[in-house]
């Protein structure tokens, strides 16, 4: 079975972005724009509506108006780590690290991930560590995960026990 676009499984209302301006949910299922605020780093916490298996990710940064803004270069992915801050992202070994070319992000090319590392994913934390051109700020137009949902695990249906 071919991996599918998992954008419809992203809980866009709960996506959080640190050090960014723009609507974080806008970069899923369409083209939006997020720009980092104070430096090139950005941290996104992406919850899924149900658990998913992820095979690849596409990071798209095709266009952004403004000066001193660069497309992501080094992107770190952390599985099921929704409470990370920038210090954690810098000090913790990522589940995967991507070193993206300018062409990768301009075209939004899929980056294959180690499938066995991305089973049963309920959230993904994405750390944009650096950008092309070592610009003052980074930008992002779209983020798409590809894989499969794990049937029957809608996170909104789960209730706390006790």
């Amino acid at each position: 079975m071919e991996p599918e676009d998992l954008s419809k499984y992203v809980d866009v209302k709960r996506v959080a972005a640190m050090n960014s301006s723009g609507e974080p949910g806008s970069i899923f299922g369409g083209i939006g724009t997020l720009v980092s605020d104070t430096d090139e780093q950005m941290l996104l916490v992406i919850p899924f509506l149900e658990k998913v298996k992820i095979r690849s990710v596409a990071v798209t940064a095709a266009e952004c108006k403004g000066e001193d803004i660069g497309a992501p270069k080094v992107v770190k992915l952390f599985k099921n780590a929704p409470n990370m801050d920038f210090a954690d992202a810098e000090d913790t070994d990522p589940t995967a690290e991507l070193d993206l070319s300018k062409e990768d992000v301009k075209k939004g090319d899929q980056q294959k991930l180690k499938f066995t590392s991305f089973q049963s994913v309920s959230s993904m934390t994405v750390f944009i560590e650096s950008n092309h051109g070592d610009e003052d700020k980074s930008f992002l137009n779209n983020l798409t995960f590809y894989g499969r949902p794990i049937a029957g695990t809608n996170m909104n249906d789960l209730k706390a026990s006790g």
Side-chain angles (χ1 to χ4, degrees):
M1 285 173 46
E2 192 70 25
E4 66 179 280
D5 177 344
L6 297 173
S7 296
K8 66 184 174 189
Y9 299 101
V10 172
D11 190 349
V12 292
K13 293 177 184 161
R14 292 182 43 231
V15 172
M18 291 181 241
N19 188 39
S20 73
S21 59
E23 179 56 44
S26 71
I27 62 168
F28 299 97
I31 299 292
T33 301
L34 280 183
V35 178
S36 61
D37 280 336
T38 58
D39 61 21
E40 76 281 5
Q41 295 185 335
M42 215 180 323
L43 192 66
L44 295 156
V45 179
I46 303 149
F48 291 95
L49 294 168
E50 58 186 82
K51 289 187 178 184
V52 295
K53 298 176 182 181
I54 299 175
R55 287 194 177 272
S56 62
V57 61
V59 178
T60 307
E63 65 177 73
C64 183
K65 293 182 174 129
E67 294 181 20
D68 303 324
I69 301 174
K73 182 173 193 247
V74 175
V75 176
K76 295 180 178 179
L77 304 175
F78 301 89
K79 170 187 156 186
N80 300 337
N83 299 316
M84 293 188 92
D85 59 19
F86 283 98
D88 294 332
E90 290 175 342
D91 296 339
T92 305
D93 288 335
T95 312
E97 182 171 332
L98 308 174
D99 190 359
L100 303 168
S101 71
K102 285 183 181 181
E103 204 59 27
D104 288 338
V105 292
K106 187 172 187 175
K107 292 198 281 183
D109 288 340
Q110 284 188 46
Q111 307 298 309
K112 291 201 180 302
L113 301 172
K114 187 175 179 183
F115 186 60
T116 56
S117 297
F118 291 93
Q119 302 290 306
S120 196
V121 179
S122 58
S123 72
M124 185 70 74
T125 300
V126 177
F127 176 46
I128 297 174
E129 186 174 53
S130 64
N131 64 39
H132 288 280
D134 293 322
E135 299 293 352
D136 292 339
K137 296 181 179 182
S138 296
F139 78 99
L140 185 60
N141 295 129
N142 182 272
L143 190 60
T144 304
F145 295 99
Y146 295 90
R148 290 253 160 253
I150 298 173
T153 57
N154 187 324
M155 301 307 271
N156 288 336
D157 293 340
L158 299 178
K159 295 185 172 83
S161 61

